[in-house]
Amino acid sequence: MTDKLNVGEVLKPQGIRGELKVKPFTDDAEVFRDFTRVFVEETPYKVLSVRTGGGLVFLGLKGVPDRNAAELLRGKQLYVAREDAPVPEEGRYYIADLLGCNLVTETGETLGRLTGVRQAATDIYTVEMDGKEVMFPAADGVITAVDVQSGTITVDKKRFFEVAVL
């Protein structure tokens, strides 16, 4: 598990006072209200203000006083320290903890390694299998167990091959 969690991407400056328009990588943009500190890449910033709307987050950070300073952060990734993030509910996981997990069948056969997650109504997982990228929905009945401690995601093999885009 990583010590920092990727929670968003800075899209662009918002206005002239240094506010950042952020695309959140969280289930709920409102969770940003709980953060007192964020990292833009490796640089820590104190959170001064948070607004949400339209599925986006607007952040005011100490040390980003104007549009020019905010422009320098365009396209950068936003992180929070794991200890500052809320503990996920039972059966929920941080994407950062899932990436790199081995995808295995219920009989222990390794199918590949999880390389990406696209958030949607039903998340779409990307797995590297035999040098190819394979996508599948993380729907009920496909994933049967997740163990981030051992780095494995167990799938029902028959159901996986029914829904996977090979």
Side-chain angles (χ1 to χ4, degrees), residues 83-101:
E83 65 265 14
D84 295 340
V87 176
E89 299 171 17
E90 183 70 29
R92 310 274 302 175
Y93 307 93
Y94 286 114
I95 292 171
D97 295 338
L98 297 176
L99 294 175
C101 284

PDB file of all heavy atoms in Angstrom, residues 83-101:
ATOM      1  N   GLU A  83      -2.994   8.772   6.000  1.00  0.00           N
ATOM      2  CA  GLU A  83      -3.548   8.998   7.337  1.00  0.00           C
ATOM      3  C   GLU A  83      -4.557  10.148   7.370  1.00  0.00           C
ATOM      4  O   GLU A  83      -5.361  10.242   8.288  1.00  0.00           O
ATOM      5  CB  GLU A  83      -2.444   9.220   8.375  1.00  0.00           C
ATOM      6  CG  GLU A  83      -1.614  10.467   8.163  1.00  0.00           C
ATOM      7  CD  GLU A  83      -0.323  10.216   7.396  1.00  0.00           C
ATOM      8  OE1 GLU A  83      -0.157   9.145   6.796  1.00  0.00           O
ATOM      9  OE2 GLU A  83       0.525  11.126   7.403  1.00  0.00           O
ATOM     10  N   ASP A  84      -4.537  11.019   6.361  1.00  0.00           N
ATOM     11  CA  ASP A  84      -5.501  12.123   6.281  1.00  0.00           C
ATOM     12  C   ASP A  84      -6.785  11.724   5.547  1.00  0.00           C
ATOM     13  O   ASP A  84      -7.758  12.480   5.553  1.00  0.00           O
ATOM     14  CB  ASP A  84      -4.890  13.331   5.564  1.00  0.00           C
ATOM     15  CG  ASP A  84      -3.737  13.941   6.336  1.00  0.00           C
ATOM     16  OD1 ASP A  84      -3.639  13.694   7.559  1.00  0.00           O
ATOM     17  OD2 ASP A  84      -2.927  14.665   5.727  1.00  0.00           O
ATOM     18  N   ALA A  85      -6.778  10.586   4.907  1.00  0.00           N
ATOM     19  CA  ALA A  85      -7.929  10.135   4.123  1.00  0.00           C
ATOM     20  C   ALA A  85      -8.871   9.313   5.006  1.00  0.00           C
ATOM     21  O   ALA A  85      -8.427   8.629   5.928  1.00  0.00           O
ATOM     22  CB  ALA A  85      -7.464   9.282   2.948  1.00  0.00           C
ATOM     23  N   PRO A  86     -10.171   9.373   4.723  1.00  0.00           N
ATOM     24  CA  PRO A  86     -11.105   8.560   5.507  1.00  0.00           C
ATOM     25  C   PRO A  86     -10.893   7.066   5.219  1.00  0.00           C
ATOM     26  O   PRO A  86     -10.479   6.688   4.126  1.00  0.00           O
ATOM     27  CB  PRO A  86     -12.486   9.016   5.024  1.00  0.00           C
ATOM     28  CG  PRO A  86     -12.254   9.686   3.715  1.00  0.00           C
ATOM     29  CD  PRO A  86     -10.837  10.177   3.712  1.00  0.00           C
ATOM     30  N   VAL A  87     -11.175   6.254   6.219  1.00  0.00           N
ATOM     31  CA  VAL A  87     -11.069   4.805   6.043  1.00  0.00           C
ATOM     32  C   VAL A  87     -12.227   4.358   5.152  1.00  0.00           C
ATOM     33  O   VAL A  87     -13.370   4.728   5.403  1.00  0.00           O
ATOM     34  CB  VAL A  87     -11.131   4.090   7.415  1.00  0.00           C
ATOM     35  CG1 VAL A  87     -11.126   2.579   7.235  1.00  0.00           C
ATOM     36  CG2 VAL A  87      -9.984   4.537   8.297  1.00  0.00           C
ATOM     37  N   PRO A  88     -11.921   3.598   4.083  1.00  0.00           N
ATOM     38  CA  PRO A  88     -13.018   3.162   3.198  1.00  0.00           C
ATOM     39  C   PRO A  88     -13.975   2.219   3.916  1.00  0.00           C
ATOM     40  O   PRO A  88     -13.581   1.480   4.822  1.00  0.00           O
ATOM     41  CB  PRO A  88     -12.310   2.453   2.044  1.00  0.00           C
ATOM     42  CG  PRO A  88     -10.902   2.270   2.447  1.00  0.00           C
ATOM     43  CD  PRO A  88     -10.629   3.121   3.634  1.00  0.00           C
ATOM     44  N   GLU A  89     -15.230   2.271   3.487  1.00  0.00           N
ATOM     45  CA  GLU A  89     -16.240   1.377   4.052  1.00  0.00           C
ATOM     46  C   GLU A  89     -15.892  -0.069   3.729  1.00  0.00           C
ATOM     47  O   GLU A  89     -15.122  -0.339   2.807  1.00  0.00           O
ATOM     48  CB  GLU A  89     -17.609   1.704   3.447  1.00  0.00           C
ATOM     49  CG  GLU A  89     -18.105   3.095   3.719  1.00  0.00           C
ATOM     50  CD  GLU A  89     -19.363   3.411   2.916  1.00  0.00           C
ATOM     51  OE1 GLU A  89     -20.028   2.487   2.407  1.00  0.00           O
ATOM     52  OE2 GLU A  89     -19.663   4.608   2.808  1.00  0.00           O
ATOM     53  N   GLU A  90     -16.499  -0.982   4.466  1.00  0.00           N
ATOM     54  CA  GLU A  90     -16.307  -2.418   4.232  1.00  0.00           C
ATOM     55  C   GLU A  90     -16.645  -2.750   2.782  1.00  0.00           C
ATOM     56  O   GLU A  90     -17.680  -2.342   2.258  1.00  0.00           O
ATOM     57  CB  GLU A  90     -17.225  -3.219   5.168  1.00  0.00           C
ATOM     58  CG  GLU A  90     -17.057  -4.711   5.071  1.00  0.00           C
ATOM     59  CD  GLU A  90     -15.741  -5.207   5.639  1.00  0.00           C
ATOM     60  OE1 GLU A  90     -15.199  -4.566   6.552  1.00  0.00           O
ATOM     61  OE2 GLU A  90     -15.260  -6.234   5.146  1.00  0.00           O
ATOM     62  N   GLY A  91     -15.755  -3.459   2.113  1.00  0.00           N
ATOM     63  CA  GLY A  91     -15.974  -3.853   0.724  1.00  0.00           C
ATOM     64  C   GLY A  91     -15.604  -2.778  -0.285  1.00  0.00           C
ATOM     65  O   GLY A  91     -15.807  -2.957  -1.480  1.00  0.00           O
ATOM     66  N   ARG A  92     -15.064  -1.646   0.169  1.00  0.00           N
ATOM     67  CA  ARG A  92     -14.629  -0.554  -0.706  1.00  0.00           C
ATOM     68  C   ARG A  92     -13.113  -0.424  -0.550  1.00  0.00           C
ATOM     69  O   ARG A  92     -12.564  -0.700   0.516  1.00  0.00           O
ATOM     70  CB  ARG A  92     -15.302   0.766  -0.315  1.00  0.00           C
ATOM     71  CG  ARG A  92     -16.795   0.704  -0.169  1.00  0.00           C
ATOM     72  CD  ARG A  92     -17.553   0.886  -1.389  1.00  0.00           C
ATOM     73  NE  ARG A  92     -17.232   2.161  -2.009  1.00  0.00           N
ATOM     74  CZ  ARG A  92     -17.696   2.537  -3.155  1.00  0.00           C
ATOM     75  NH1 ARG A  92     -18.514   1.760  -3.795  1.00  0.00           N
ATOM     76  NH2 ARG A  92     -17.377   3.680  -3.686  1.00  0.00           N
ATOM     77  N   TYR A  93     -12.453   0.029  -1.624  1.00  0.00           N
ATOM     78  CA  TYR A  93     -10.997   0.090  -1.619  1.00  0.00           C
ATOM     79  C   TYR A  93     -10.531   1.331  -2.353  1.00  0.00           C
ATOM     80  O   TYR A  93     -11.218   1.833  -3.249  1.00  0.00           O
ATOM     81  CB  TYR A  93     -10.405  -1.154  -2.316  1.00  0.00           C
ATOM     82  CG  TYR A  93     -10.947  -2.432  -1.744  1.00  0.00           C
ATOM     83  CD1 TYR A  93     -12.049  -3.051  -2.313  1.00  0.00           C
ATOM     84  CD2 TYR A  93     -10.384  -2.988  -0.610  1.00  0.00           C
ATOM     85  CE1 TYR A  93     -12.583  -4.205  -1.765  1.00  0.00           C
ATOM     86  CE2 TYR A  93     -10.908  -4.148  -0.055  1.00  0.00           C
ATOM     87  CZ  TYR A  93     -12.003  -4.755  -0.638  1.00  0.00           C
ATOM     88  OH  TYR A  93     -12.525  -5.881  -0.085  1.00  0.00           O
ATOM     89  N   TYR A  94      -9.363   1.810  -1.982  1.00  0.00           N
ATOM     90  CA  TYR A  94      -8.754   2.898  -2.735  1.00  0.00           C
ATOM     91  C   TYR A  94      -8.156   2.317  -4.004  1.00  0.00           C
ATOM     92  O   TYR A  94      -7.538   1.241  -3.986  1.00  0.00           O
ATOM     93  CB  TYR A  94      -7.671   3.598  -1.912  1.00  0.00           C
ATOM     94  CG  TYR A  94      -8.250   4.477  -0.835  1.00  0.00           C
ATOM     95  CD1 TYR A  94      -8.064   4.188   0.502  1.00  0.00           C
ATOM     96  CD2 TYR A  94      -8.991   5.605  -1.173  1.00  0.00           C
ATOM     97  CE1 TYR A  94      -8.595   4.999   1.486  1.00  0.00           C
ATOM     98  CE2 TYR A  94      -9.534   6.418  -0.199  1.00  0.00           C
ATOM     99  CZ  TYR A  94      -9.332   6.112   1.125  1.00  0.00           C
ATOM    100  OH  TYR A  94      -9.869   6.917   2.088  1.00  0.00           O
ATOM    101  N   ILE A  95      -8.323   3.026  -5.112  1.00  0.00           N
ATOM    102  CA  ILE A  95      -7.785   2.581  -6.396  1.00  0.00           C
ATOM    103  C   ILE A  95      -6.290   2.338  -6.293  1.00  0.00           C
ATOM    104  O   ILE A  95      -5.765   1.365  -6.825  1.00  0.00           O
ATOM    105  CB  ILE A  95      -8.125   3.592  -7.513  1.00  0.00           C
ATOM    106  CG1 ILE A  95      -9.631   3.578  -7.781  1.00  0.00           C
ATOM    107  CG2 ILE A  95      -7.340   3.294  -8.785  1.00  0.00           C
ATOM    108  CD1 ILE A  95     -10.118   4.673  -8.715  1.00  0.00           C
ATOM    109  N   ALA A  96      -5.595   3.203  -5.560  1.00  0.00           N
ATOM    110  CA  ALA A  96      -4.149   3.055  -5.404  1.00  0.00           C
ATOM    111  C   ALA A  96      -3.776   1.699  -4.804  1.00  0.00           C
ATOM    112  O   ALA A  96      -2.717   1.152  -5.098  1.00  0.00           O
ATOM    113  CB  ALA A  96      -3.591   4.176  -4.519  1.00  0.00           C
ATOM    114  N   ASP A  97      -4.658   1.155  -3.976  1.00  0.00           N
ATOM    115  CA  ASP A  97      -4.392  -0.147  -3.360  1.00  0.00           C
ATOM    116  C   ASP A  97      -4.696  -1.308  -4.304  1.00  0.00           C
ATOM    117  O   ASP A  97      -4.160  -2.397  -4.145  1.00  0.00           O
ATOM    118  CB  ASP A  97      -5.208  -0.308  -2.077  1.00  0.00           C
ATOM    119  CG  ASP A  97      -4.790   0.683  -1.011  1.00  0.00           C
ATOM    120  OD1 ASP A  97      -3.653   1.188  -1.077  1.00  0.00           O
ATOM    121  OD2 ASP A  97      -5.611   0.969  -0.118  1.00  0.00           O
ATOM    122  N   LEU A  98      -5.577  -1.074  -5.279  1.00  0.00           N
ATOM    123  CA  LEU A  98      -5.940  -2.133  -6.221  1.00  0.00           C
ATOM    124  C   LEU A  98      -4.933  -2.253  -7.369  1.00  0.00           C
ATOM    125  O   LEU A  98      -4.686  -3.358  -7.862  1.00  0.00           O
ATOM    126  CB  LEU A  98      -7.333  -1.883  -6.798  1.00  0.00           C
ATOM    127  CG  LEU A  98      -8.488  -1.906  -5.802  1.00  0.00           C
ATOM    128  CD1 LEU A  98      -9.790  -1.534  -6.504  1.00  0.00           C
ATOM    129  CD2 LEU A  98      -8.601  -3.253  -5.128  1.00  0.00           C
ATOM    130  N   LEU A  99      -4.377  -1.117  -7.798  1.00  0.00           N
ATOM    131  CA  LEU A  99      -3.438  -1.141  -8.924  1.00  0.00           C
ATOM    132  C   LEU A  99      -2.240  -2.024  -8.598  1.00  0.00           C
ATOM    133  O   LEU A  99      -1.671  -1.942  -7.512  1.00  0.00           O
ATOM    134  CB  LEU A  99      -2.974   0.268  -9.265  1.00  0.00           C
ATOM    135  CG  LEU A  99      -4.063   1.199  -9.791  1.00  0.00           C
ATOM    136  CD1 LEU A  99      -3.510   2.598  -9.983  1.00  0.00           C
ATOM    137  CD2 LEU A  99      -4.683   0.673 -11.071  1.00  0.00           C
ATOM    138  N   GLY A 100      -1.893  -2.880  -9.523  1.00  0.00           N
ATOM    139  CA  GLY A 100      -0.771  -3.798  -9.328  1.00  0.00           C
ATOM    140  C   GLY A 100      -1.179  -5.149  -8.756  1.00  0.00           C
ATOM    141  O   GLY A 100      -0.369  -6.066  -8.705  1.00  0.00           O
ATOM    142  N   CYS A 101      -2.429  -5.280  -8.318  1.00  0.00           N
ATOM    143  CA  CYS A 101      -2.896  -6.573  -7.788  1.00  0.00           C
ATOM    144  C   CYS A 101      -2.965  -7.597  -8.912  1.00  0.00           C
ATOM    145  O   CYS A 101      -3.257  -7.259 -10.060  1.00  0.00           O
ATOM    146  CB  CYS A 101      -4.283  -6.437  -7.163  1.00  0.00           C
ATOM    147  SG  CYS A 101      -4.305  -5.652  -5.547  1.00  0.00           S
TER     148      CYS A 101
END
